[in-house]
Amino acid sequence: MARRKIVAGNWKMNKTPSEAVALVEELKPLVASEDVDVVFCVPAIDIIPVAEAVKGTNIAVGAENMYFEEKGAYTGEISPAMLVDAGVKYVVLGHSERREYFAETNETVNKKVLKALEHGITPIMCCGESLEQREQGVTMDFIRQQVKVGLQNVTADQAKTMVIAYEPIWAIGTGKTATTEQAQEVCAGIRACIAEVYDDATAEAIRIQYGGSVNAATAPELFAQADIDGGLVGGAALKPDFGKIVNYK
Ligand code: PGA
């Protein structure tokens, strides 16, 4: 069975609650689609008003992070149950910005992935190499490690429901999209890694996105690749262009 495409916007630290609602109202008609899953991953404080604003539309709400404990003395953190209660269906985990600025590791990402799955939230687990790693020729080794550790103790049935986002760090927010060949090559490598860890059926089911300066012009070719099942979109997710990315065909 063909995998359904999934296009997710990663709003990062942008939009106040009232600005968020205004953006949802603007994008709502533009992102309508029967064929593609559409997700808006928004700042924690925007989740509740955005969940209200997307009611009755095809837009699902995602969070940009989550903590791996159930509750308790973790000042400033947000639990999986809080996200579920607020209507969240997806959560971005292990984004390179969280790894770089907030000391996330493959191990903490793994704990979060397991917790999200336990609560029925679909993880969008991010991986991707730096420019230095690409130049040193260790891209696939590095990403295989991120993927394998991130998926530790995740069952095949759980893995099948997940989304993995391949985001080369050098392509994020830089305007430098990976070439279609580079993106497809790594996404195929990730799928092969899933087949090794689990089996072919799991590798066939899991959805793999490309992210990194995706825009309306680059999306059609990227999303047409055999192993690219959509995109994780930053900058362009805050503009009407996001509608063109969703409706890339
Ligand atoms: P970008 O961000 O599309 O602005 O490069 C992508 C991301 O970081 O998820």
Side-chain angles (χ1 to χ4, degrees):
M1 224 179 76
R3 288 178 298 272
R4 198 173 150 86
K5 300 272 191 238
I6 176 163
V7 176
N10 172 14
W11 287 17
K12 309 195 180 191
M13 197 175 73
N14 293 295
K15 303 296 170 185
T16 65
S18 52
E19 289 168 349
V21 171
L23 182 59
V24 170
E25 295 303 332
E26 183 188 354
L27 294 182
K28 247 191 224 179
L30 307 177
V31 301
S33 165
E34 308 236 305
D35 316 320
V36 174
D37 288 340
V38 179
V39 188
F40 286 11
C41 300
V42 305
I45 199 164
D46 297 342
I47 288 171
I48 289 175
V50 166
E52 188 60 36
V54 302
K55 275 196 181 136
T57 74
N58 62 318
I59 303 165
V61 182
E64 298 178 12
N65 183 31
M66 183 199 87
Y67 199 48
F68 54 72
E69 294 290 352
E70 293 291 340
K71 61 162 133 173
Y74 304 102
T75 302
E77 291 296 320
I78 298 195
S79 76
M82 293 171 189
L83 295 183
V84 170
D85 191 52
V88 165
K89 304 284 184 219
Y90 295 84
V91 61
V92 177
L93 295 174
H95 191 279
S96 62
E97 287 149 18
R98 295 216 54 90
R99 294 175 189 263
E100 183 178 352
Y101 306 130
F102 304 100
E104 294 222 1
T105 63
N106 291 340
E107 288 71 23
T108 58
V109 172
N110 176 237
K111 287 184 183 178
K112 293 180 178 192
V113 165
L114 289 167
K115 227 359 144 188
L117 289 166
E118 193 185 305
H119 284 264
I121 306 172
T122 301
I124 300 177
M125 186 179 87
C126 302
C127 59
E129 82 288 3
S130 65
L131 187 56
E132 197 183 16
Q133 286 160 337
R134 176 158 284 272
E135 285 170 350
Q136 288 169 345
V138 298
T139 294
M140 218 48 239
D141 296 327
F142 182 75
I143 289 172
R144 285 168 57 87
Q145 177 156 6
Q146 287 184 318
V147 170
K148 284 186 168 181
V149 178
L151 293 177
Q152 250 165 30
N153 298 318
V154 172
T155 67
D157 281 346
Q158 288 176 321
K160 283 179 185 152
T161 68
M162 284 182 56
V163 179
I164 294 183
Y166 165 54
E167 298 202 309
I169 296 168
W170 48 272
I172 295 177
T174 57
K176 273 190 216 157
T177 321
T179 65
T180 307
E181 293 71 29
Q182 286 171 327
Q184 161 59 22
E185 187 186 13
V186 177
C187 290
I190 293 170
R191 206 175 296 287
C193 177
I194 302 293
E196 270 172 49
V197 174
Y198 298 99
D199 48 42
D200 287 346
T202 308
E204 280 307 307
I206 201 164
R207 292 188 288 180
I208 304 176
Q209 296 173 316
Y210 168 78
S213 300
V214 173
N215 59 41
T218 56
E221 202 180 284
L222 284 164
F223 298 176
Q225 301 307 303
D227 290 291
I228 302 180
D229 306 314
L232 183 58
V233 182
L238 302 169
K239 300 186 219 153
D241 248 25
F242 193 61
K244 296 197 187 126
I245 297 173
V246 167
N247 293 294
Y248 65 96
K249 272 191 195 154

